Amino acid sequence: MANCPKCGKKLRLYHWRPECPFCGVNMVYYNSNDRLLAETERAEIEHAHSQPRIDRAKAAFFGSPAAIARIVLSVLQIGALFLPLGKAAAADPFNVIGVYKAVDAAGGAGAMLGDVFSGSAAALSVLLLLLSAVLWLVCLICLPMSLGPHGRQRNLILNILWLGSAAVSGANFAVRIGTLQIGAFVYLFLISALLVYNCVLAKKGLPVKHTVCLIGGLPSEEYFRMKEDGVSELEIRKKMVEALTVMQNEARAKEAEEEADALRKRAEHA
């Protein structure tokens, strides 16, 4: 069931023709320009709402040298895990590959979790190290969202948890199992350096290049401000027409200038 867009009369299933049986208007084309304009306006409004998030993600990830430096600093930690991390009493030094083999031999992380509750110091260190690796990945995934409403706080909290899990893992290993090797110290140093760098960025901020979004030819800020001020739709549409006319005139002037330049170059080559 539907209603005629002009007279508002209710239509039945047997009213299949495009013309309204009550007022005779063609319902397909009735007010089509206004409907098309309204749909275009809705699409531009959605784009204006989503574009700032995209701008912030770009700025947080690769929008400036400071952001690129953070990306580089964020991926160095994974390399430290391939250096020697620790050495038990009578065993060879091991790195992340040795940790993976130990987890696989124990039957997976779930089995090692049971060993932790049984008091296994080695299982505790291994699981905390794995947790720090997971937190590294989470921090990397959350970087594009770091300029959002709660992005700075989220980044700092994740970095602190990451550093805490790695530090407790290393301390437990050094006290109860064996000695730490160079890889563990490099890993902890790089996490600490990233935490300090994120604190600096949280204080200074990163530059965001905002994309200008147009709604009916009007800048989105102006459009939303008029909506908040209660400006009538008719007045907004008038301003849209004026803005679109100016844009059209500028485009025509630019096109005429390009044609004139092309003619002048041809004349010079002739």
Side-chain angles (χ1 to χ4, degrees):
M1 294 294 182
N3 295 328
C4 173
K6 183 178 180 181
C7 66
K9 295 289 183 65
K10 185 174 290 186
L11 303 173
R12 305 296 179 182
L13 291 175
Y14 52 82
H15 293 147
W16 55 271
R17 293 181 181 275
E19 293 81 12
C20 174
F22 304 104
C23 64
V25 71
N26 189 309
M27 295 179 289
V28 176
Y29 297 106
Y30 176 75
N31 216 16
S32 59
N33 289 337
D34 289 342
R35 293 203 307 270
L36 180 60
L37 182 61
E39 290 176 5
T40 303
E41 189 174 320
R42 281 196 296 271
E44 290 175 338
I45 289 172
E46 291 178 3
H47 177 257
H49 284 308
S50 62
Q51 187 61 45
R53 292 194 291 269
I54 298 174
D55 293 337
R56 289 196 298 267
K58 289 180 179 179
F61 210 65
F62 53 80
S64 63
I68 295 173
R70 180 168 62 178
I71 293 294
V72 174
L73 189 57
S74 297
V75 299
L76 289 176
Q77 290 84 0
I78 199 67
L81 293 177
F82 288 91
L83 298 173
L85 297 174
K87 182 179 183 302
D92 295 329
F94 64 88
N95 57 12
V96 69
I97 298 176
V99 172
Y100 172 78
K101 291 179 179 178
V103 174
D104 187 56
M112 294 201 78
L113 184 60
D115 295 338
V116 170
F117 289 111
S118 300
S120 172
L124 178 61
S125 285
V126 168
L127 286 183
L128 286 173
L129 182 62
L130 291 178
L131 176 61
S132 74
V134 171
L135 287 169
W136 166 79
L137 182 60
V138 173
C139 288
L140 199 61
I141 292 173
C142 290
L143 274 185
M145 299 178 284
S146 62
L147 294 181
H150 306 290
R152 293 179 177 88
Q153 297 90 330
R154 179 173 55 243
N155 263 10
L156 294 178
I157 290 172
L158 287 173
N159 282 167
I160 291 171
L161 291 175
W162 179 14
L163 178 60
S165 61
V168 174
S169 173
N172 178 71
F173 185 88
V175 172
R176 303 173 63 184
I177 303 172
T179 56
L180 296 178
Q181 300 293 299
I182 183 65
F185 296 107
V186 173
Y187 186 54
L188 290 170
F189 171 77
L190 290 174
I191 301 174
S192 302
L194 180 61
L195 176 59
V196 172
Y197 192 65
N198 275 326
C199 290
V200 173
L201 292 184
K203 184 176 181 180
K204 292 187 174 181
L206 288 170
V208 180
K209 184 178 180 181
H210 294 285
T211 303
V212 178
C213 298
L214 299 178
I215 301 175
L218 297 174
S220 58
E221 295 84 0
E222 181 180 352
Y223 175 86
F224 292 132
R225 185 170 60 252
M226 287 192 295
K227 282 288 190 179
E228 291 176 359
D229 294 341
V231 179
S232 66
E233 288 291 332
L234 181 60
E235 188 64 29
I236 293 176
R237 293 292 166 84
K238 286 181 180 179
K239 288 192 173 291
M240 285 182 175
V241 171
E242 293 173 3
L244 291 172
T245 301
V246 171
M247 292 172 62
Q248 187 178 33
N249 292 337
E250 290 177 351
R252 287 176 177 173
K254 184 178 180 180
E255 185 178 351
E257 185 179 349
E258 290 175 352
E259 290 179 358
D261 289 340
L263 290 173
R264 186 172 63 254
K265 288 180 181 178
R266 281 199 217 101
E268 289 174 354
H269 290 296

